[in-house]
Amino acid sequence: MSGESGDLPRTLFYRFARAVVTAFFRTCFRVRVEGLERLPRQGGVILASNHLSNFDPPLLGILVPRYIRFMGKAELFRIPVLRRMFLSLGGFPIERGRVDRRAIRTAIEVLQGGTCLVMFPEGHRSRTGKLGPLQPGIASIARKAGAIIQPVGIRGRYRLFGRIEVRFGDPIDVREWSDEEIMRNLRDQLLLLTGQEESR
């Protein structure tokens, strides 16, 4: 579905998992990608996406030709087998329902190290497919890390052989905007990328 980049881990498990996940999506869904060329090819980038399903992180993981990290709910990391798997694939835990300063520090360090980080600014999956309110913390993390925010819109339902559209918007350089302007820009782009312009 995408080319590979030199920053992808070369461990046997990671490459095997990536191949399996790629085969799964190619077999089960009709995935269409637009605007991937807008994604910065280096430096810290937050992939700021709407959130429809637990399939969103692995889908982005195989489409983006860079190594990506992601946050997962801490409960999953308390299961030894899942913990080892998620850590091997780039995940790290976050405690939901409160400000998890450790996870925030990890996110900033990941971005300062020049890696991509998936974040869902809604904070949870949308049950209706409509874009919900965005949490402002993403602007603060991007600013502290000196990272770019890359809006990503996912549209469609994860039904067998269903069509999923993934659209990449215009990168947001946080140095040029206030936090309020960043969040407004991000929301406007996500509405456009997911075909919800009328929701504004």
Side-chain angles (χ1 to χ4, degrees):
M1 287 185 178
S2 69
E4 291 197 355
S5 168
D7 75 339
L8 291 174
R10 299 186 179 279
T11 64
L12 180 61
F13 177 74
Y14 183 92
R15 299 180 76 84
F16 171 76
R18 186 179 175 91
V20 169
V21 173
T22 299
F24 168 77
F25 278 101
R26 282 179 171 169
T27 302
C28 296
F29 307 107
R30 293 178 297 132
V31 180
R32 178 182 177 184
V33 185
E34 295 181 12
L36 183 58
E37 69 279 359
R38 298 188 180 109
L39 174 73
R41 287 304 193 259
Q42 58 185 358
V45 177
I46 295 177
L47 295 168
S49 173
N50 64 313
H51 197 10
L52 301 178
S53 165
N54 287 330
F55 284 135
D56 295 338
L59 176 60
L60 292 174
I62 62 169
L63 292 180
V64 173
R66 294 184 56 181
Y67 180 43
I68 68 169
R69 303 287 304 275
F70 62 93
M71 299 179 181
K73 57 184 180 181
E75 296 90 335
L76 295 177
F77 285 81
R78 298 188 182 109
I79 304 172
V81 173
L82 291 181
R83 176 181 176 83
R84 287 195 293 272
M85 182 179 71
F86 288 141
L87 291 175
S88 298
L89 295 176
F92 59 93
I94 181 170
E95 295 283 353
R96 299 187 300 173
R98 65 178 180 84
V99 178
D100 188 339
R101 300 189 184 282
R102 177 180 295 181
I104 292 173
R105 285 197 301 270
T106 300
I108 293 172
E109 290 170 0
V110 164
L111 293 166
Q112 288 176 334
T115 301
C116 289
L117 173 66
V118 171
M119 294 186 71
F120 300 108
E122 293 168 278
H124 54 77
R125 284 175 289 163
S126 170
R127 296 184 181 277
T128 64
K130 297 294 185 181
L131 186 70
L134 305 187
Q135 305 299 316
I138 190 171
S140 175
I141 290 175
R143 193 179 301 284
K144 290 177 180 178
I148 296 293
I149 297 177
Q150 172 66 65
V152 183
I154 302 175
R155 187 178 182 183
R157 294 190 176 184
Y158 290 94
R159 292 179 175 174
L160 189 61
F161 307 129
R163 179 172 174 172
I164 305 295
E165 295 182 1
V166 183
R167 303 171 67 189
F168 291 76
D170 296 319
I172 301 172
D173 188 338
V174 299
R175 296 173 300 179
E176 300 176 358
W177 309 83
S178 68
D179 285 5
E180 181 178 344
E181 290 170 331
I182 291 168
M183 298 309 299
R184 186 184 306 119
N185 186 331
L186 176 59
R187 181 171 182 80
D188 287 349
Q189 288 207 55
L190 290 179
L191 287 170
L192 180 64
L193 294 169
T194 56
Q196 301 177 58
E197 301 94 330
E198 69 279 2
S199 297
R200 283 183 285 177

